[in-house]
Amino acid sequence: MPRDPAGKSAGIYCCGPTVHDFAHIGNFRTFVFADLVRRCLEFKGLQVRHVMNITDVEDKIIQRVRENKTTLRDYTAKYEAAFFEDFDTLNCLRPHETPRATGHIPDIIELIEKLVARGVAYRAPDGSVYFSIEKYQACGGHYGRLQKLNFEEMRPGDRVSSDEYAKDAAADFALWKARVPEDGDIFWPSPWGEGRPGWHIECSAMSMKSLGPSFDLHLGGEDLIFPHHEDEIAQSEGAGVQAPGESFVKYWLHGAHLLVEGKKMSKSLGNYFTLRDLLARGFTGREVRYLLLTAHYRESFNFTLDGLQGARTALGRIDECLGKLAEIGVGVEASPTEPAIVREFADAMDDDFNVAAAWGAVFEWVRETNIRLVANKIAADEAKSLLAGWSRINSVLGLPGKKDTHGEIDPSLQKLLDERGAARKAKDFKRSDAIRDELKAKGWVIEDTPKGARLKRI
Ligand SMILES: [Zn+2]
């Protein structure tokens, strides 16, 4: 149930990328999941406001800016642009707002001022400002809402200044970090002296600025539960800006993490993939999206290259079925009955985004439809109505059209196909075979048809 009493709108905030490098496939699991949630709510007729921040100032970024002897904006602009390019390749709908932390320094300072005024934050001798967990708890706040934390080791006033810290280190955390020489020219003036915001306060300030002090859904990877999201709750509710009885966030959804080839992703193990790495191996954004959408968000998922091959086969089955329906349903009006598969799919998604049941229903539908197609039991208007049903389902799944299966293909592939045609004409079979192999390596086979050669996904 959304917070909106009329039940018509919902606000979603998803912690966005830290633009210090290319995002990896584990990061994209979260963003594809957030996109699925948004599409599901829109499917149900809700007016969704989707906000995702861009963290463009924090410890790691500052370190990289220093190492690369560049400016903050030049450094982050490159990775921000790459992130959105990948985001589009995965067919994620762009959020309605993508605020950058550096664009919201006054809002961040204003929120910290509120926390200081309420006595739950204090200025340390070096000019940094910390959130006091002890004071927050003393005035009724509950730190550790999302996971059980051990406070026994904690001594009042213990402070942690870095943005990321260990699970057992519940301690006062930095809201504002006083300028140090290593920051170079990355600093802003504030009532407490020059400095920069901590990572956690960025999300509290930007989410509440865009969606108000209370909103429906907050998403992120499970690695953000502590400390990032616990800190976000403490900062947002510690400011006392919510209406009585309202919390900062109504529902938290955390995506489990991704293993790759059975192990935690790491550059040294060779199982660290950015989306770009997978595209370079000939896979498409559509295949990667499909594979990421086959796992339930709360379960850790083993992402493999074999799995991507399987994704290609599975998508091929759907495409083939849809292609046949399209051939039958040309030039007629769809029958008005909505196919049963739409409701089955929607019911599965209503059950805490049960994608396993949803895909099960989809593939059962494909199997039955194929049997009926072979038996010539689908009339033109029904074919059209089945296709319309698929469009409804796909408004949630967000799989881009199969335009690269037949028909419109990438110009570089078309060029190779044309070159092969020319080589065959010139009886240069060595060359034409070499091109065939090259296309095969990219995931395509050549079909020689009466209308000429065309490419088909393997
Ligand atoms: Zn965040």
Side-chain angles (χ1 to χ4, degrees):
M1 276 305 289
R3 289 181 58 260
D4 172 19
K8 290 208 167 89
S9 63
I12 301 182
Y13 184 86
C14 180
C15 288
T18 298
V19 283
H20 71 285
D21 204 341
F22 294 110
H24 59 62
I25 202 67
N27 301 133
F28 280 114
R29 179 180 190 189
T30 305
F31 300 120
V32 168
F33 171 57
D35 184 61
L36 179 77
V37 171
R38 168 186 167 173
R39 286 167 177 272
C40 264
L41 298 182
E42 288 178 343
F43 176 87
K44 293 170 82 68
L46 286 168
Q47 186 78 37
V48 177
R49 183 117 199 114
H50 177 195
V51 181
M52 178 185 73
N53 70 299
I54 304 289
T55 297
D56 63 347
V57 58
E58 53 81 79
D59 296 351
K60 280 195 291 282
I61 294 177
I62 293 180
Q63 190 190 339
R64 299 284 181 94
V65 169
R66 197 168 59 238
E67 286 163 5
N68 288 278
K69 298 191 172 48
T70 178
T71 63
L72 184 72
R73 187 66 198 128
D74 280 351
Y75 184 80
T76 57
K78 175 183 161 193
Y79 291 109
E80 186 185 310
F83 173 80
F84 280 115
E85 205 180 304
D86 293 351
F87 199 78
D88 294 343
T89 302
L90 288 169
N91 210 32
C92 293
L93 298 172
R94 291 279 188 115
H96 303 97
E97 283 180 60
T98 51
R100 290 189 195 109
T102 55
H104 288 270
I105 303 293
D107 298 312
I108 292 169
I109 289 175
E110 198 184 311
L111 181 57
I112 300 174
E113 280 181 312
K114 276 190 190 128
L115 294 168
V116 173
R118 296 193 87 222
V120 293
Y122 60 94
R123 185 181 186 275
D126 73 343
S128 295
V129 179
Y130 283 87
F131 187 90
S132 166
I133 292 178
E134 196 194 11
K135 294 272 169 53
Y136 174 62
Q137 306 259 53
C139 57
H142 175 193
Y143 188 80
R145 191 93 57 83
L146 302 173
Q147 75 172 37
K148 238 176 128 51
L149 294 170
N150 179 7
F151 291 99
E152 271 158 34
E153 298 288 306
M154 193 183 154
R155 286 170 303 169
D158 268 3
R159 290 197 286 261
V160 53
S161 65
S162 63
D163 284 329
E164 292 185 63
Y165 45 93
K167 282 209 181 321
D168 51 0
D172 291 0
F173 55 89
L175 302 171
W176 186 260
K177 302 186 185 199
R179 182 183 172 192
V180 290
E182 297 82 67
D183 290 346
D185 58 3
I186 303 170
F187 63 88
W188 289 264
S190 84
W192 315 282
E194 288 168 342
R196 62 184 172 96
W199 169 38
H200 315 296
I201 194 77
E202 296 176 5
C203 277
S204 287
M206 289 187 281
S207 60
M208 293 200 291
K209 170 95 179 176
S210 297
L211 296 169
S214 298
F215 55 92
D216 296 282
L217 279 173
H218 194 312
L219 290 94
E222 67 179 1
D223 53 322
L224 297 186
I225 293 176
F226 182 84
H228 188 57
H229 289 164
E230 293 288 4
D231 290 355
E232 263 190 60
I233 296 173
Q235 296 158 153
S236 306
E237 298 192 359
V241 288
Q242 286 77 22
E246 290 262 28
S247 54
F248 166 48
V249 167
K250 190 161 181 190
Y251 302 108
W252 289 85
L253 292 178
H254 289 103
H257 56 229
L258 192 76
L259 298 171
V260 177
E261 303 293 344
K263 296 201 174 70
K264 195 172 171 223
M265 230 184 312
S266 96
K267 285 187 176 160
S268 61
L269 287 175
N271 67 343
Y272 183 99
F273 292 126
T274 63
L275 180 65
R276 281 135 205 271
D277 296 331
L278 298 171
L279 299 182
R281 287 172 181 252
F283 295 107
T284 63
R286 185 176 189 245
E287 288 157 355
V288 175
R289 182 180 175 96
Y290 170 86
L291 187 56
L292 290 173
L293 285 179
T294 54
H296 190 265
Y297 73 97
R298 279 191 282 106
E299 281 162 21
S300 66
F301 178 58
N302 184 19
F303 187 97
T304 64
L305 295 179
D306 278 354
L308 274 176
Q309 289 290 352
R312 182 169 290 176
T313 310
L315 286 168
R317 278 170 56 204
I318 296 175
D319 291 341
E320 204 172 341
C321 179
L322 296 174
K324 286 181 191 151
L325 289 173
E327 280 170 26
I328 297 176
V330 180
V332 292
E333 288 281 313
S335 73
T337 342
E338 185 171 76
I341 177 64
V342 177
R343 178 87 338 254
E344 285 169 36
F345 176 84
D347 287 347
M349 295 308 280
D350 273 350
D351 178 19
D352 193 24
F353 309 99
N354 186 347
V355 285
W359 284 117
V362 164
F363 283 105
E364 180 58 22
W365 173 72
V366 167
R367 198 181 68 83
E368 284 169 6
T369 305
N370 281 335
I371 292 171
R372 296 181 61 221
L373 279 164
V374 169
N376 261 332
K377 287 208 172 129
I378 299 183
D381 64 338
E382 194 198 345
K384 198 83 176 214
S385 140
L386 290 173
L387 286 170
W390 171 256
S391 295
R392 290 271 293 145
I393 291 171
N394 201 34
S395 71
V396 177
L397 295 173
L399 297 168
K402 57 148 195 167
K403 63 174 188 278
D404 54 358
T405 309
H406 279 311
E408 245 182 87
I409 61 161
D410 187 276
S412 66
L413 295 172
Q414 186 60 48
K415 196 165 160 259
L416 279 173
L417 192 63
D418 294 345
E419 273 178 47
R420 173 186 172 267
R424 273 164 66 99
K425 236 179 186 168
K427 302 215 178 320
D428 181 355
F429 295 112
K430 207 170 148 197
R431 174 75 188 131
S432 80
D433 286 354
I435 294 173
R436 184 199 58 206
D437 293 345
E438 189 180 340
L439 285 165
K440 200 170 166 195
K442 288 178 192 281
W444 298 86
V445 282
I446 301 166
E447 279 186 332
D448 286 305
T449 72
K451 288 183 191 163
R454 63 181 191 178
L455 289 175
K456 194 182 171 200
R457 275 260 173 228
I458 291 171

